[in-house]
């Protein structure tokens, strides 16, 4: 039987190289990347995926040239302006994960307005990771746990998961990283414990429905064992 993807997470990498290959500025790559994201959101919804988490800006991406960082924020604001009605109408609920406190207040307001406008939706939970770093999330989670008065004995994996930005979603079933790099780059460190990982050489702006279907087909060939033996998973009685 095919595996079921309830939660798909994507590291959308390769925008800069896509632009460079065309002799264009990096920001043009990010613009093309935003279009790819739009299409993949639709495709995920059509494929009945309930949770989609997109890595859009890492806690380390502040190290990029100021122009690029500012351009990315402008792009994000424009994207929200253009997409908000479509999100509302198509049953998509917007969430963010990451520490938004360092973002410009106009962007924060737009995000808050959109998450509020879409909060009655539930067909697809679209989470955009912004100023997100797995280590930072875990640290903030610990702080939350301490502030909430949880005792050392009460703090188990479940209670801690509830202190993370991702508390409302299941762990990802499949992580896709485009752009050819084979690394996690500080994404969802806690949540990826048993996630299947698919690396694609396709640069993010070129990633489309067909590329998504290839990732899903690959995922369907995996046997997820969660520490058990293949026989246990297949239900074959042990001798
Ligand atoms: C991913 O593409 C988008 C962000 C990190 C914002 P990159 O900008 O990292 O593209 P490459 O890796 O330089 O090609
Ligand atoms: C990861 O891509 C972050 C996002 C896609 C938002 P990077 O391009 O920042 O990752 P590294 O620096 O190559 O590991
Ligand atoms: Mg990159």
């Amino acid at each position: 039987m095919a595996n079921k993807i309830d939660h798909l997470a994507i590291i959308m990498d390769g925008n800069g190289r896509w632009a460079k290959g065309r002799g264009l500025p990096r920001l043009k790559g990010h613009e093309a990347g935003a279009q790819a994201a739009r299409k993949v959101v639709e495709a995920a919804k059509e494929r009945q995926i309930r949770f989609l988490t997109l890595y859009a800006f890492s806690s380390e991406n502040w190290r990029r040239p100021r122009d690029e960082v500012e351009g990315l924020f402008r792009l994000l604001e424009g994207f929200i302006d253009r997409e908000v009605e479509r999100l509302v109408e198509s049953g998509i609920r917007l969430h963010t994960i990451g520490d938004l406190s360092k973002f410009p207040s106009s962007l924060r307001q737009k995000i808050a307005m959109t998450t509020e406008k879409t909060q009655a939706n539930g067909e697809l939970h679209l989470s955009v990771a912004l100023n997100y770093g797995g280590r930072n999330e875990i640290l903030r989670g610990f702080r939350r746990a301490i502030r909430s008065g949880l005792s050392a004995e009460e703090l188990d994996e479940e209670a801690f998961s509830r202190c993370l930005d991702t508390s409302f979603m299941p762990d990802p079933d499949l992580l896709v990283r485009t752009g050819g790099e084979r690394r996690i780059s500080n994404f969802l460190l806690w949540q990826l414990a048993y996630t299947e990982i698919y690396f694609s050489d396709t640069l993010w702006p070129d990633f489309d429905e067909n590329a998504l279907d290839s990732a899903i087909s690959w995922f369907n060939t995996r046997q997820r064992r969660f520490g058990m033996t293949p026989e246990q998973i297949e239900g074959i009685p042990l001798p």
Side-chain angles (χ1 to χ4, degrees):
M1 217 187 76
N3 292 325
K4 168 126 184 54
I5 302 179
D6 202 24
H7 182 181
L8 168 67
I10 307 183
I11 301 176
M12 310 182 290
D13 195 23
N15 295 349
R17 280 163 285 162
W18 182 92
K20 196 172 177 195
R22 285 166 174 71
L24 298 169
R26 291 181 61 85
L27 218 50
K28 288 284 171 202
H30 295 313
E31 279 174 28
Q35 290 314 310
R38 230 187 78 195
K39 285 197 204 126
V40 167
V41 170
E42 273 311 308
K45 207 187 92 179
E46 281 164 17
R47 285 154 187 75
Q48 271 123 42
I49 292 169
R50 279 199 315 139
F51 293 87
L52 175 65
T53 303
L54 302 177
Y55 204 5
F57 191 84
S58 78
S59 50
E60 286 72 37
N61 286 146
W62 295 102
R63 295 174 178 159
R64 295 191 176 198
R66 210 176 134 171
D67 279 6
E68 183 172 346
V69 171
E70 283 171 0
L72 274 166
F73 294 163
R74 269 200 313 278
L75 196 67
L76 205 66
E77 283 201 35
F79 192 74
I80 293 175
D81 284 340
R82 280 193 310 278
E83 296 297 313
V84 59
E85 288 313 320
R86 201 179 60 87
L87 292 175
V88 172
E89 281 158 24
S90 55
I92 299 171
R93 179 165 177 182
L94 183 78
H95 308 261
T96 58
I97 59 170
D99 179 3
L100 265 60
S101 65
K102 293 189 180 60
F103 282 126
S105 65
S106 60
L107 180 56
R108 285 210 315 262
Q109 271 166 19
K110 273 207 174 122
I111 292 169
M113 184 266 291
T114 312
T115 50
E116 206 180 296
K117 266 193 162 177
T118 62
Q119 70 181 347
N121 287 350
E123 212 171 307
L124 172 71
H125 292 264
L126 168 64
S127 302
V128 183
L130 292 169
N131 188 24
Y132 177 89
R135 288 186 174 182
N136 173 268
E137 182 197 26
I138 290 170
L139 268 180
R140 285 186 291 106
F142 268 123
R143 289 190 196 124
R144 231 173 259 158
I146 293 167
R147 279 196 211 104
S148 75
L150 275 174
S151 70
E153 289 70 30
E154 285 165 335
L155 189 63
D156 56 14
E157 291 185 12
E158 233 172 84
F160 186 61
S161 293
R162 284 196 294 271
C163 295
L164 295 172
D165 298 350
T166 52
S167 58
F168 61 93
M169 51 170 100
D171 287 344
D173 301 292
L174 173 64
L175 170 73
V176 171
R177 181 175 186 139
T178 63
E181 307 297 346
R182 268 76 173 150
R183 56 179 172 251
I184 298 299
S185 301
N186 207 6
F187 194 38
L188 300 175
L189 297 180
W190 170 274
Q191 299 84 346
L192 294 176
Y194 267 102
T195 301
E196 302 293 328
I197 305 184
Y198 179 84
F199 294 108
S200 162
D201 290 333
T202 303
L203 301 173
W204 175 249
D206 293 326
F207 197 84
D208 59 11
E209 291 89 342
N210 293 333
L212 177 64
D213 285 334
S214 299
I216 294 173
S217 299
W218 172 86
F219 175 76
N220 284 331
T221 67
R222 302 289 89 205
Q223 186 191 49
R224 307 187 73 190
R225 291 198 283 277
F226 302 99
M228 290 176 268
T229 68
E231 290 77 14
Q232 283 176 299
I233 296 295
E234 284 155 20
I236 301 167
L238 293 169

